[in-house]
Amino acid sequence: MTARPRAFVVVTGSELVRGDRTDLNGPFLARQALELGLEPARVSVVGDSPEELEAALLEGLQADLCVVSGGLGPTHDDRTVELLARAAGVALRVDPELEEEIGGISRGFAERMRRPYADFQPGVTKQATLPEGAMSLGLAGTAPGFVLATARGAAVVLPGPPAELRRLWPRALETEAVQRVLERARPPEVRVLRLYGVSESAVARALADAGGDGDGVEATICARDFEIHVDLLIDQGGQARTRADELEAALAEWLAPYLFARDEQPVEELVLEACRSRGWTLATAESSTGGMVAARLTSVPGSSESFVGGVVAYSNELKERQLGVPAKLLAEHGAVSAEVAAAMARGARSRLGADVAVSVTGIAGPGGGTPRKPVGLVYLHAETPEAGRARDFSIPGDRDTVRRRATVMALHLLRDVLTQSRHEDA
Amino acid sequence: MTARPRAFVVVTGSELVRGDRTDLNGPFLARQALELGLEPARVSVVGDSPEELEAALLEGLQADLCVVSGGLGPTHDDRTVELLARAAGVALRVDPELEEEIGGISRGFAERMRRPYADFQPGVTKQATLPEGAMSLGLAGTAPGFVLATARGAAVVLPGPPAELRRLWPRALETEAVQRVLERARPPEVRVLRLYGVSESAVARALADAGGDGDGVEATICARDFEIHVDLLIDQGGQARTRADELEAALAEWLAPYLFARDEQPVEELVLEACRSRGWTLATAESSTGGMVAARLTSVPGSSESFVGGVVAYSNELKERQLGVPAKLLAEHGAVSAEVAAAMARGARSRLGADVAVSVTGIAGPGGGTPRKPVGLVYLHAETPEAGRARDFSIPGDRDTVRRRATVMALHLLRDVLTQSRHEDA
């Protein structure tokens, strides 16, 4: 796999190299490179110091594909174009068409801001300046993206705001310079197995027992959002595919109780689809997760088709009042108990008029723990017209981890009870 | 400011350079370097290809402080120690004490897994191997962190899992090698002004009108979570501080209506503190944000002191049933209206028995918009025993952006009505 063309990403922005903001462009571009059949070699994040940026660009230009994000704004701190041209050994020139286009946008902006256009003129000319021979990709915002053919392949330069970068990226792929690099690439077939309820090390062992990767198949095991993802990158050609089929079949068989998807569709979408296909409505009853389960479900467009709503019953009083949890149950078992979780789910079904409900009650910490009920103890319950299922877990973890884990478990519990209610509870 | 020692971060992990996971260590270490008075020069993310990692380490060792994260595991893919030693030109040696310590942990693990310890022995020896002259920082997990004195200063090597890295980092700062670098550093004083309800460009203009930065003061303007943060980094010495005082006073005066904090305390904490100080309880009534406001509030430890709970009323039926919104109001004005937002907040106060409530109703999209009520239109309402306040906004944006923006606005609306109810509504 070493003969794949190398891709090198340079991300510039002083707020990124200072840790004020998390870079989203590097991971996006690296993943794109991988799926296009390139080898993502490095993502370098640099500030606006000219020396550091030039050094990173010089290195980037050694790769077959160098993708640069940011530093295209109108001010003197935005030096990507100038430094890239210098690193590539070409001159700069103003693109008259681009200047007119950016000028038009800036005139409108100046009017709205009631400032003279002359204030913007130097910035417009700067933003319309490209390295000699560069191919403009057009504008996103007022910053143009462009592609420059290099000695090794191509450099793609894109604006820093992630939405703008993603808009121009497909255009970059269509340029002749990038196409020449992609001709040498070998896009792998990508398969994914998604597992829940099993540890990363158990999956690693199953993979090793199945003969491991190799023979044109590269397997990576990655924990993501409390799920385990096995990615198989499969080389073109018959032998690799045969090996991948064997490996996938072995993993699917051994890990069958945990395998729930072979694509990237989020679990909240699987839950909503399962509800829709049965014509069932859905509600939530949350204590320690404080609305996070409902927030995940409603992140899906069209979720209102099945999801009617939820109650965040943080106080015991609201558990009684809004969900009809008996005061006696709360007194006898405590708010964090399997009994109260079950009553919350039942209460959500009846009080909110939903067919399906899930509940979460737990101790997220850092306070509130006792020796019998420590921080990190969480009870969940899901109920449909046909089946009910309970879960609990106890992990030492910080408040955020306990809550996020409980949220994901609530969604998987719903998925499980909705799609596999014919099976016995594990 | 150019004479500050340079800090260079190398983050290794194939899942990071492929975009499977977002790197959290680079931003953390860069921010730490900045606050320690170093210049964060670059964050390089590389995979486990030996050539790429060695090249990144060679570069990193040119800096005064090189911090490396990841690649310390027990398998042959974990090459950080070997390659760092080679890049630094020193030999490797097994640390017997470390070997015993890691061995003890691995023995326990082997027993729990019911596997022979012999399977783990090579990994233990590998993890106990350090570059000659390195200073161990002890373990986090089974991976040891260490510090190596270099020609230019120091290299700090830490395990990849963020929690482990953050646990060992303070120990690295205490080592002699790192202390020698820090002696040459000039930690700036850091001040922050946090603003809400004003655009980044208006703040940039106010900064320019106030004379801009310089004279030992570096100002950065950064949009974060729909707030605007102005960071002032102030050099040691009297003149810079005087200039910072002037700049801060001018900005605070001109931007007074938007300035709400001078520290990093999250807005949800400010809301809960304001409730607690008045002895008021708090509830939420959410439609389009689907629980996100409640989730933010309950992310704060101890939030149950003031926050009693909330209703996610996604369907109109639940708006009536759980919040007592009159059917007539819904029919006349529609669920997305100022009238329904006000009724939801009132209903949350009475039905949930809370003193203070906030409501959100809007069209998050992508479906559901009309010419009169487009996607991105959101109404909010906050009410206390003393005052009520309404807000609305309309932005073209994707579902996630509309929801996150509405969530932040709900929290700021609460903060505003709780802390400034003596002022007129803006």
Side-chain angles (χ1 to χ4, degrees), chain A residues 189 191 215-217 234-235 237-246:
Chain A
E189 184 192 343
R191 296 188 203 169
D215 298 331
V217 180
I234 305 153
D235 276 355
Q239 202 192 341
R241 175 168 289 184
T242 308
R243 176 74 197 116
D245 290 343
E246 286 167 13

Side-chain angles (χ1 to χ4, degrees), chain A residues 35-331:
Chain A
E35 292 183 0
L36 288 165
L38 308 173
E39 187 65 39
R42 202 193 299 192
V43 176
S44 273
V45 181
V46 287
D48 49 20
S49 142
E51 298 77 24
E52 304 288 351
L53 179 52
E54 190 174 2
L57 291 171
L58 274 168
E59 267 179 288
L61 292 177
Q62 301 302 310
D64 301 281
L65 183 69
C66 173
V67 189
V68 186
S69 106
L72 300 180
T75 77
H76 69 279
D77 283 348
D78 297 300
R79 292 194 175 89
T80 296
V81 174
E82 169 201 342
L83 295 174
L84 182 85
R86 195 195 297 175
V90 300
L92 291 167
R93 67 173 182 84
V94 177
D95 182 317
E97 277 176 45
L98 211 50
E99 193 174 23
E100 207 170 298
E101 200 181 349
I102 301 170
I105 295 169
S106 296
R107 256 178 239 281
F109 185 73
E111 271 168 35
R112 284 197 301 284
M113 298 283 286
R114 290 175 201 164
R115 289 173 59 191
Y117 175 67
D119 286 8
F120 293 87
Q121 177 64 57
V124 170
T125 304
K126 179 186 171 302
Q127 287 194 294
T129 302
L130 298 184
E132 189 82 58
M135 168 95 180
S136 166
L137 300 172
L139 300 180
T142 59
F146 63 89
V147 172
L148 185 68
T150 62
R152 302 292 301 250
V156 176
V157 180
L158 299 167
E164 298 182 8
L165 177 132
R166 288 173 196 213
R167 206 174 321 139
L168 294 185
W169 172 244
R171 295 190 206 162
L173 296 185
E174 285 165 17
T175 60
E176 206 187 311
V178 175
Q179 279 295 322
R180 272 200 302 270
V181 175
L182 295 181
E183 274 164 22
R184 293 184 274 132
R186 292 174 290 122
E189 184 192 343
V190 181
R191 296 188 203 169
V192 60
L193 301 180
R194 277 165 71 205
L195 306 148
Y196 184 75
V198 63
S199 74
E200 202 169 345
S201 59
V203 176
R205 223 181 145 184
L207 179 66
D209 290 349
D213 57 2
D215 298 331
V217 180
E218 201 183 332
T220 56
I221 300 168
C222 187
R224 214 146 65 204
D225 197 29
F226 304 97
E227 299 171 356
I228 306 293
H229 293 206
V230 181
D231 275 351
L232 298 178
L233 296 185
I234 305 153
D235 276 355
Q236 290 168 5
Q239 202 192 341
R241 175 168 289 184
T242 308
R243 176 74 197 116
D245 290 343
E246 286 167 13
L247 200 59
E248 196 182 352
L251 289 173
E253 193 189 328
W254 298 345
L255 300 168
Y258 314 109
L259 177 66
F260 69 93
R262 295 183 187 227
D263 58 29
E264 302 281 354
Q265 196 177 20
V267 58
E268 51 269 33
E269 285 188 21
L270 298 176
V271 166
L272 289 163
E273 271 185 18
C275 285
R276 196 162 44 231
S277 74
R278 325 243 339 218
W280 285 346
T281 56
L282 173 64
T284 52
E286 303 181 60
S287 183
S288 53
T289 45
M292 293 168 74
V293 179
R296 281 281 290 259
L297 288 166
T298 55
S299 71
V300 181
S303 46
S304 59
E305 257 186 73
S306 307
F307 182 73
V308 294
V311 169
V312 179
Y314 223 54
S315 69
N316 279 356
E317 201 193 325
L318 283 200
K319 288 186 186 76
E320 293 177 38
R321 209 152 121 171
Q322 296 291 313
L323 294 169
V325 177
K328 192 166 165 278
L329 213 60
L330 286 162

Side-chain angles (χ1 to χ4, degrees), chain B residues 176-198:
Chain B
E176 207 188 308
V178 175
Q179 280 295 323
R180 272 201 302 269
V181 175
L182 295 180
E183 273 164 23
R184 293 184 275 132
R186 292 176 290 121
E189 184 191 344
V190 181
R191 295 187 203 170
V192 60
L193 301 180
R194 278 165 70 206
L195 306 148
Y196 184 74
V198 62

Side-chain angles (χ1 to χ4, degrees), chain B residues 53-344:
Chain B
L53 179 53
E54 190 174 2
L57 291 171
L58 275 168
E59 267 179 285
L61 292 178
Q62 302 301 311
D64 301 281
L65 183 69
C66 174
V67 189
V68 186
S69 106
L72 300 181
T75 76
H76 69 280
D77 283 348
D78 297 299
R79 292 193 176 90
T80 296
V81 175
E82 169 202 343
L83 295 174
L84 182 85
R86 195 196 297 175
V90 299
L92 290 167
R93 66 171 183 84
V94 177
D95 182 317
E97 276 176 45
L98 211 49
E99 194 174 23
E100 207 171 299
E101 198 180 350
I102 301 171
I105 296 170
S106 295
R107 255 177 239 282
F109 185 72
E111 271 169 37
R112 283 196 303 283
M113 298 284 286
R114 289 177 202 163
R115 288 173 60 190
Y117 175 66
D119 286 7
F120 293 88
Q121 177 64 57
V124 169
T125 305
K126 179 186 171 301
Q127 287 194 295
T129 302
L130 298 184
E132 190 81 59
M135 167 96 181
S136 166
L137 299 172
L139 300 180
T142 59
F146 63 88
V147 171
L148 185 68
T150 62
R152 301 293 301 251
V156 176
V157 180
L158 299 168
E164 299 182 7
L165 178 133
R166 287 174 198 213
R167 206 174 322 139
L168 294 185
W169 173 244
R171 295 190 207 163
L173 296 185
E174 285 165 18
T175 59
E176 207 188 308
V178 175
Q179 280 295 323
R180 272 201 302 269
V181 175
L182 295 180
E183 273 164 23
R184 293 184 275 132
R186 292 176 290 121
E189 184 191 344
V190 181
R191 295 187 203 170
V192 60
L193 301 180
R194 278 165 70 206
L195 306 148
Y196 184 74
V198 62
S199 73
E200 202 169 344
S201 58
V203 176
R205 222 178 147 186
L207 180 65
D209 289 350
D213 57 3
D215 298 330
V217 180
E218 200 182 334
T220 55
I221 300 168
C222 187
R224 211 144 67 205
D225 197 29
F226 303 97
E227 298 171 356
I228 306 292
H229 293 205
V230 181
D231 276 351
L232 298 177
L233 296 185
I234 305 152
D235 276 356
Q236 290 168 6
Q239 202 193 339
R241 174 166 290 185
T242 308
R243 176 74 196 116
D245 290 344
E246 285 167 14
L247 199 58
E248 195 182 353
L251 289 173
E253 192 188 330
W254 297 347
L255 300 168
Y258 315 108
L259 178 66
F260 70 92
R262 295 183 187 227
D263 57 31
E264 301 282 355
Q265 198 177 18
V267 58
E268 51 270 33
E269 285 188 21
L270 299 175
V271 167
L272 289 163
E273 272 185 17
C275 285
R276 197 163 41 233
S277 74
R278 323 239 347 214
W280 284 346
T281 56
L282 173 64
T284 52
E286 304 180 60
S287 183
S288 53
T289 45
M292 293 167 74
V293 179
R296 281 280 291 259
L297 288 166
T298 56
S299 71
V300 181
S303 46
S304 59
E305 257 186 72
S306 307
F307 182 73
V308 294
V311 168
V312 179
Y314 223 54
S315 69
N316 278 357
E317 201 193 324
L318 284 199
K319 289 185 185 76
E320 293 177 38
R321 211 153 123 169
Q322 295 290 313
L323 295 168
V325 177
K328 192 166 164 280
L329 214 60
L330 286 162
E332 267 174 25
H333 300 282
V336 179
S337 62
E339 290 80 3
V340 167
M344 286 170 67

